[in-house]
Amino acid sequence: MAALRQLGTAVEGNFQGAAGGMVPPSPCVLAPNGSAPRSPAASRREEVAGNGGGGPGLAALRPTPAKPPRGSGKKPFAAPAGGGKPRKRAPLWPAALFVSVAMNVGLVLHHYVNSTSPPHHHHHPQEHQACLVHPEAAGSSSVRRTATQVEPVPKTRAAGAPSTGKPAVTPESVINLDHGDPTMFEEFWRGTGAAAEIVIPGWQTMSYFSDVGNVCWFLEPGLDHEVRRLHRLVGNAAVDGYHVLVGTGSTQLFMAALYALSPPAGAPMSVVSTAPYYSSYPAVTDFLQSGFFRWAGDASSFEGDTYIELVCSPNNPDGTIREAVLSSESGVAVHDLAYYWPQYTPITRRADHDIMLFTVSKSTGHAGTRIGWALVKDRDVAKKMTKFIELNTIGVSKDSQLRAAKVLRAVSDAYELPGAGEEHRLFDYGRRKMAERWSMLREAAAASGIFSLPDETSGYCNFTKDMASTNPAFAWLRCDREDVEDCASFLRGHKILTRSGSQFGADPRYVRVSMLDRDDAYDIFVKRLASLK
């Protein structure tokens, strides 16, 4: 710093020309017209200097004249003896600007040396006055950078670790089981190695289009193939004669179905579902206050012939197998089969409804991939649903589709390829895990004495070829204590977050509890539940 102050003092006179003007700046400081664009750092320095040589930034750089000591009788810039005019002195701001630039150059070069040069290499003082070329632009005069424009090359850092979702819990933590976040499956996928890994080259998936000859023109052919393959393997849905549509989760496909099935004119289409219904149905239906459709409540009490009935089976929140309860020539049904997979329920038949919705969130646990798909019979309905997604998001992420396809392929390969280990079979793992968790929950509820759960059911599973119990992804828990009218509030007081039955069109003494969280959170939950009396 002392050397720089001396430098500023020494060059102050050099900035003054014969008439007190400023010497043209070095090309290493100001780039001529037509040269490479200035760096953000250089632009900021120009803003400080002000536009056109004026402005508040320039004034801030001008030094304030020092006041003479009291009693000296001298005034700053006093005229010389003899009454002559004082010698005109150039302003000090050019020197201050030069010193500021020199200091910045010194700092930049210091960082540059430390970050790019070997330990034994040293810059010589005269190098600080030369124009520098960024290492990546060496040998190219068109991209030559000046000393003040050199951007430090950051040291190589390891790629940031991906997010892990909710933080780890302790026995004192609030346990959040309000959402169906399927992190239970992380343990399984950690053990699959490279089977579900994918590398996407930088040039791939750049176009909007995937298959222009398909109704769903943004559907990746690989995902189409793996969706059909998996359904044929499990036997839970027919795929021959169906159009496969892809969406950003099944929620977007649900919205697309409402759009496609509603009349373009007239009164809004009534959307209904039998209570307890999925809590997002009314919220999503009425979110945009569409003139095409509106939420009309419980299907069991609906009166009318024109409607869209949402049938969730197995049902969210109570896990029951559902069928449509309404029948009309002008009414239609959309079947949400997100949980119709062997880890949750026996596969008793191959569903063949007009519109069926699925998602990787609950089938494989990859909720963050945000991929769902619909199986649609009618071509015109499929085209309208595709149009909605086109207008809504101009398609669906191809990167997510490719990952989902690889995940689904890994699931099918584990069952179909010879030599595949049983430890890599997703549905076997999920079935064991869910049965274990439901057993723990029933024991905890019995130990507490103030909670009740739906009765366990079972049936013959066409996929596993044996009897299988129903182990829903959510527990429909009821608080039987007489002084508790709101079970969600009661559990919240004990640091357990659930979703109230009132959000499902049901009694608030019920709550929905996610069964899909990580082991540490679930273990704390059942212990805490068992202790409540």
Side-chain angles (χ1 to χ4, degrees), residues 441-453 476-492 494 496 508-511 525-533:
L441 180 58
R442 293 187 186 280
E443 290 178 4
S448 172
I450 65 170
F451 298 104
S452 58
L453 292 160
W476 191 232
L477 184 71
R478 187 182 191 276
C479 186
D480 298 324
R481 213 169 83 172
E482 292 183 359
D483 62 335
V484 176
E485 296 182 354
D486 187 336
C487 190
S489 296
F490 172 71
L491 292 175
R492 189 181 304 114
H494 295 278
I496 300 172
R509 286 176 293 183
Y510 285 92
V511 294
F525 159 66
V526 292
K527 291 177 182 177
R528 196 173 294 174
L529 192 77
S531 68
L532 302 180
K533 305 295 182 182

Side-chain angles (χ1 to χ4, degrees), residues 94-306:
L97 177 61
F98 180 83
V99 171
S100 175
V101 170
M103 292 173 63
N104 279 282
V105 170
L107 292 174
V108 169
L109 293 177
H110 177 72
H111 178 85
Y112 186 86
V113 171
N114 289 343
S115 60
T116 62
S117 302
H120 63 274
H121 181 75
H122 298 279
H123 281 287
H124 297 288
Q126 59 267 28
E127 293 179 11
H128 288 213
Q129 302 174 9
C131 293
L132 297 180
V133 179
H134 193 281
E136 295 180 359
S140 175
S141 59
S142 63
V143 292
R144 187 178 303 274
R145 298 177 185 266
T146 64
T148 58
Q149 294 171 317
V150 171
E151 298 178 3
V153 180
K155 295 180 180 179
T156 303
R157 290 183 295 182
S163 62
T164 57
K166 293 184 293 187
V169 296
T170 68
E172 302 303 319
S173 296
V174 173
I175 303 301
N176 188 350
L177 300 179
D178 175 83
H179 302 285
D181 199 20
T183 49
M184 177 192 81
F185 293 98
E186 288 175 346
E187 179 186 43
F188 171 81
W189 289 106
R190 283 195 184 100
T192 59
E197 293 178 0
I198 184 171
V199 176
I200 301 175
W203 57 265
Q204 198 172 353
T205 70
M206 294 180 67
S207 172
Y208 288 115
F209 303 96
S210 295
D211 184 356
V212 295
N214 195 353
V215 169
C216 187
W217 50 267
F218 44 81
L219 170 65
E220 283 292 299
L223 179 59
D224 186 340
H225 172 76
E226 294 303 333
V227 162
R228 296 177 187 274
R229 178 190 178 196
L230 184 62
H231 282 303
R232 291 189 179 106
L233 169 69
V234 176
N236 60 343
V239 292
D240 295 334
Y242 281 82
H243 300 279
V244 177
L245 312 182
V246 65
T248 304
S250 59
T251 299
Q252 187 181 38
L253 292 162
F254 158 60
M255 297 172 64
L258 297 185
Y259 168 81
L261 298 174
S262 298
M269 181 73 97
S270 296
V271 181
V272 298
S273 186
T274 302
Y277 42 72
Y278 178 34
S279 58
S280 288
Y281 286 160
V284 172
T285 300
D286 287 341
F287 181 65
L288 295 179
Q289 297 295 306
S290 171
F292 294 133
F293 45 81
R294 63 177 178 83
W295 177 252
D298 190 350
S300 300
S301 58
F302 176 76
E303 296 180 358
D305 295 326
T306 304

Side-chain angles (χ1 to χ4, degrees), residues 215 238-245 349-356 374-383 385:
V215 169
V239 292
D240 295 334
Y242 281 82
H243 300 279
V244 177
L245 312 182
R349 61 183 291 265
R350 192 182 300 272
D352 57 355
H353 308 291
D354 290 342
I355 301 176
M356 299 178 284
L375 301 176
V376 183
K377 275 185 180 180
D378 187 86
R379 181 180 178 85
D380 289 337
V381 173
K383 289 172 67 176
M385 291 178 65

Side-chain angles (χ1 to χ4, degrees), residues 423-469:
E423 68 276 9
H424 293 160
R425 294 182 174 179
L426 173 67
F427 300 125
D428 293 18
Y429 168 88
R431 184 181 174 187
R432 290 193 305 268
K433 198 75 174 178
M434 294 303 297
E436 174 187 315
R437 290 193 168 192
W438 269 96
S439 177
M440 294 169 62
L441 180 58
R442 293 187 186 280
E443 290 178 4
S448 172
I450 65 170
F451 298 104
S452 58
L453 292 160
D455 294 334
E456 183 177 0
T457 61
S458 61
Y460 184 80
C461 180
N462 295 327
F463 174 70
T464 60
K465 304 295 191 255
D466 63 3
M467 293 296 294
S469 61

